[in-house]
Amino acid sequence: MLIMDKKTIKEYISNITKDIRFWIILLLVIRLYAITLPPIEVSHSWRQTTVAMAARNFYEIDNNILYPRIDISEDLSGITGMEFPIFNYLIYIISLIFGYTHWYGRVINLIITSIGCYYFYRLIKKYFSERISFCSTIILLTSIWLQYSRKIMPDTFSMSLVIIGLYYGTNYLEQKSKSIKNITLYVIFCTLGILSKLPSGYILIIFTIHLFDNRIPLNRKISFCLSSLLMLIPVIFWYFYWVPYLVDEYGLWHFFMGKSFSEGISEIIINISDTLKHFYQHALMYIGFVTFIIGLVICIVKKEKIILSILSLSFLAFCVIIFKSGWTFAHHEYYIIPFVPIMSLVAGFAIASIEKKYLRVILLLAIAIENFSSHTSDYIVKGNRKSLLELESVCDKIIPLEELIVINSGADPTVMYFAHRKGWVCHNNDLLDKTFVTSLHERGAEYIIILKKAFGSDMKLDLPRIYDCEDYDIYRIEQ
């Protein structure tokens, strides 16, 4: 009886671990560790705090989703063009119930990305074996997505929504049941995903494979294309009309819309080393990338036309993003996030080709361990910025909420977010220029905060110092 019980338990564990949902939930739970940490981990705190700014301003100032605003607004309203703030607005909606705090954004991203990974599994499973879909999803879960799925950033959030849309779009083209439901969900999820982050839309290029499939009726292809055009209307309106309008009307530029192809290509060529690093290091890390290359070779040798078509089409479309972004792509690792699902598919195909299960497990475990060990800093608050957590309480004692301030954080908006004030972020050299400081004062600036540790400056200003401590000084700008 005891032997039977052990056998039953072993079979139960085996069945559980074969289910991709177990691993998705397990990794979700693991990443809940330190989920409430403020957005001042080692990397990309600045990008997270601009998202959090817009969410907090929806909660505190104006909840009109068409007019997002940030705090590094100088003497302006702060209203500016950015990605359509669906992610920010979800933070705002939850804040209406529980009160505002930043880490809602981490949880929202983590949940939506986990759901997106499950739909990625379902999508791959429709066209390939369960083994390929399982391996590919594990690789995606432990890729750069492991890191960015718990950040207050819309990148994996956006791509996950698009992947969900892809699943329902393929269902519609393949004449699955409830076609109205499938085309509707395709339009809704892809629209929300692309609105959240424009580059995520590149992956729609893979529908070209379906459009050349003679087994799909022409009328279904036409209705799909018309629905896709309908989907693009709000995207085009937001990014190519409304964002420029907000910038022109309210005078604050914030959102990067790319550059000319010629300029972008030139910058990529100059920064080719940093660009390639996103593919061989940041996307899947080294073991994962080697696996991807092996998978590519196997696909070529075995003439796996579907995978090669998906890879070729998506890479060509992704090159548009690379060349439109130029220097920005080369120096921001998270720009590779939209392409990682494609790389995960190819790498997953390579691992699935291994017949011995224990070798597949070892390789997947090696990829996961390498990625986990490379991202431990995301669970730690950056040491020289811990003092920022007390900045708001200090400011509340001496700086009225409506007063504009200046901070020596260069182009980094993080400190302004933690000060919970509005105004300017400047470089140290600017604040040593009395003419520059006077010009800011004429525009309404009343206080200057000098960060001594976070931005490495213990400079003294020829102004009344009204607060000083080990980490920062606060000056009052005289009339």
Side-chain angles (χ1 to χ4, degrees):
M1 189 68 179
L2 183 60
I3 295 176
M4 287 298 294
D5 287 342
K6 288 183 177 179
K7 182 179 180 181
T8 301
I9 292 172
K10 185 176 180 180
E11 289 177 352
Y12 178 75
I13 293 174
S14 177
N15 290 332
I16 287 292
T17 55
K18 288 178 182 177
D19 191 333
I20 194 64
R21 291 172 294 185
F22 168 79
W23 297 105
I24 291 174
I25 294 172
L26 177 63
L27 285 170
L28 185 152
V29 172
I30 290 173
R31 285 173 290 174
L32 286 175
Y33 172 75
I35 198 72
T36 61
L37 283 180
I40 48 175
E41 57 259 45
V42 174
S43 61
H44 296 104
S45 58
W46 64 272
R47 185 66 180 85
Q48 296 184 81
T49 50
T50 54
V51 173
M53 282 177 185
R56 187 171 64 185
N57 287 328
F58 282 135
Y59 180 70
E60 295 181 344
I61 301 176
D62 184 0
N63 65 357
N64 191 330
I65 197 171
L66 297 178
Y67 294 90
R69 65 182 75 211
I70 57 177
D71 296 340
I72 46 172
S73 53
E74 302 180 348
D75 56 343
L76 304 171
S77 66
I79 296 173
T80 186
M82 59 174 62
E83 296 103 344
F84 189 69
I86 298 168
F87 183 47
N88 319 64
Y89 214 75
L90 287 174
I91 300 173
Y92 155 70
I93 291 172
I94 295 178
S95 298
L96 289 177
I97 303 172
F98 301 105
Y100 174 81
T101 190
H102 66 275
W103 58 264
Y104 299 154
R106 293 191 189 275
V107 175
I108 290 168
N109 191 16
L110 186 54
I111 291 173
I112 297 299
T113 301
S114 297
I115 295 172
C117 286
Y118 178 60
Y119 271 88
F120 175 77
Y121 170 82
R122 296 179 69 185
L123 185 62
I124 301 304
K125 188 179 175 182
K126 287 205 301 178
Y127 301 101
F128 305 98
S129 69
E130 185 173 357
R131 185 190 293 181
I132 293 174
S133 60
F134 183 91
C135 293
S136 299
T137 305
I138 292 295
I139 292 172
L140 180 62
L141 282 165
T142 57
S143 69
I144 192 174
W145 282 44
L146 178 78
Q147 174 186 12
Y148 284 92
S149 61
R150 65 185 302 281
K151 289 183 181 288
I152 313 170
M153 296 171 62
D155 301 82
T156 56
F157 170 88
S158 164
M159 198 62 200
S160 295
L161 292 176
V162 174
I163 287 172
I164 297 171
L166 287 179
Y167 175 80
Y168 288 110
T170 55
N171 278 355
Y172 176 77
L173 287 168
E174 293 161 2
Q175 304 185 52
K176 301 291 184 182
S177 60
K178 299 181 181 179
S179 59
I180 294 178
K181 169 191 170 183
N182 285 320
I183 194 65
T184 301
L185 292 176
Y186 158 69
V187 170
I188 290 173
F189 281 107
C190 282
T191 301
L192 293 176
I194 300 171
L195 277 171
S196 297
K197 192 80 178 183
L198 187 58
S200 296
Y202 91 98
I203 203 169
L204 298 184
I205 192 70
I206 65 176
F207 280 119
T208 305
I209 298 172
H210 293 82
L211 297 180
F212 283 96
D213 189 341
N214 294 327
R215 295 170 295 180
I216 300 175
L218 179 60
N219 63 337
R220 190 166 288 267
K221 294 178 182 178
I222 292 174
S223 61
F224 179 83
C225 290
L226 291 176
S227 299
S228 298
L229 290 174
L230 177 66
M231 175 186 72
L232 292 176
I233 291 174
V235 175
I236 293 171
F237 169 79
W238 179 263
Y239 284 101
F240 298 98
Y241 172 75
W242 195 249
V243 166
Y245 165 77
L246 291 178
V247 173
D248 291 341
E249 181 69 17
Y250 295 95
L252 182 62
W253 180 87
H254 169 69
F255 181 62
F256 175 68
M257 281 288 288
K259 51 194 67 179
S260 68
F261 280 109
S262 59
E263 184 180 1
I265 291 172
S266 297
E267 291 179 357
I268 290 297
I269 293 173
I270 295 172
N271 296 276
I272 191 64
S273 177
D274 291 322
T275 300
L276 293 176
K277 187 180 292 186
H278 295 337
F279 291 91
Y280 70 77
Q281 179 182 344
H282 300 139
L284 306 179
M285 293 302 295
Y286 299 109
I287 299 175
F289 180 74
V290 171
T291 307
F292 164 77
I293 294 298
I294 293 173
L296 177 59
V297 172
I298 294 174
C299 287
I300 293 173
V301 172
K302 292 188 175 182
K303 298 180 180 179
E304 295 287 342
K305 293 182 180 179
I306 296 180
I307 293 183
L308 291 175
S309 296
I310 292 173
L311 178 61
S312 300
L313 286 170
S314 58
F315 180 71
L316 288 174
F318 194 64
C319 281
V320 175
I321 297 171
I322 295 174
F323 296 141
K324 281 292 291 181
S325 303
W327 183 95
T328 306
F329 180 92
H331 291 86
H332 292 84
E333 65 179 34
Y334 60 87
Y335 271 56
I336 195 64
I337 284 174
F339 194 65
V340 173
I342 304 298
M343 296 181 68
S344 298
L345 169 60
V346 178
F349 179 82
I351 295 179
S353 300
I354 301 173
E355 290 301 323
K356 295 186 180 299
K357 181 180 178 179
Y358 77 92
L359 292 178
R360 296 198 302 271
V361 172
I362 290 174
L363 190 50
L364 287 173
L365 187 61
I367 293 172
I369 290 173
E370 183 182 27
N371 278 282
F372 264 106
S373 62
S374 300
H375 298 147
T376 54
S377 60
D378 288 295
Y379 299 84
I380 303 170
V381 171
K382 195 171 183 179
N384 63 356
R385 295 197 176 189
K386 289 183 179 179
S387 62
L388 298 183
L389 303 180
E390 307 296 329
L391 184 57
E392 181 179 354
S393 61
V394 171
C395 289
D396 286 343
K397 296 175 183 177
I398 57 179
I399 302 177
L401 188 61
E402 68 278 3
E403 296 284 11
L404 300 179
I405 65 174
V406 185
I407 303 176
N408 71 322
S409 58
D412 190 337
T414 303
V415 187
M416 190 68 74
Y417 172 78
F418 283 100
H420 200 169
R421 297 297 190 276
K422 292 175 171 51
W424 292 260
V425 287
C426 302
H427 293 280
N428 291 326
N429 290 338
D430 294 330
L431 296 179
L432 293 174
D433 184 341
K434 292 185 178 180
T435 302
F436 178 78
V437 173
T438 300
S439 69
L440 295 186
H441 182 56
E442 291 173 350
R443 296 173 60 183
E446 295 292 342
Y447 299 88
I448 297 177
I449 299 177
I450 300 296
L451 279 296
K452 300 177 182 178
K453 290 186 177 179
F455 291 87
S457 174
D458 194 17
M459 64 182 185
K460 307 298 182 185
L461 301 182
D462 188 19
L463 293 169
R465 186 167 58 180
I466 60 175
Y467 181 87
D468 70 276
C469 68
E470 183 180 358
D471 299 291
Y472 38 81
D473 292 336
I474 300 179
Y475 295 85
R476 176 68 186 262
I477 306 177
E478 293 181 311
Q479 296 288 342

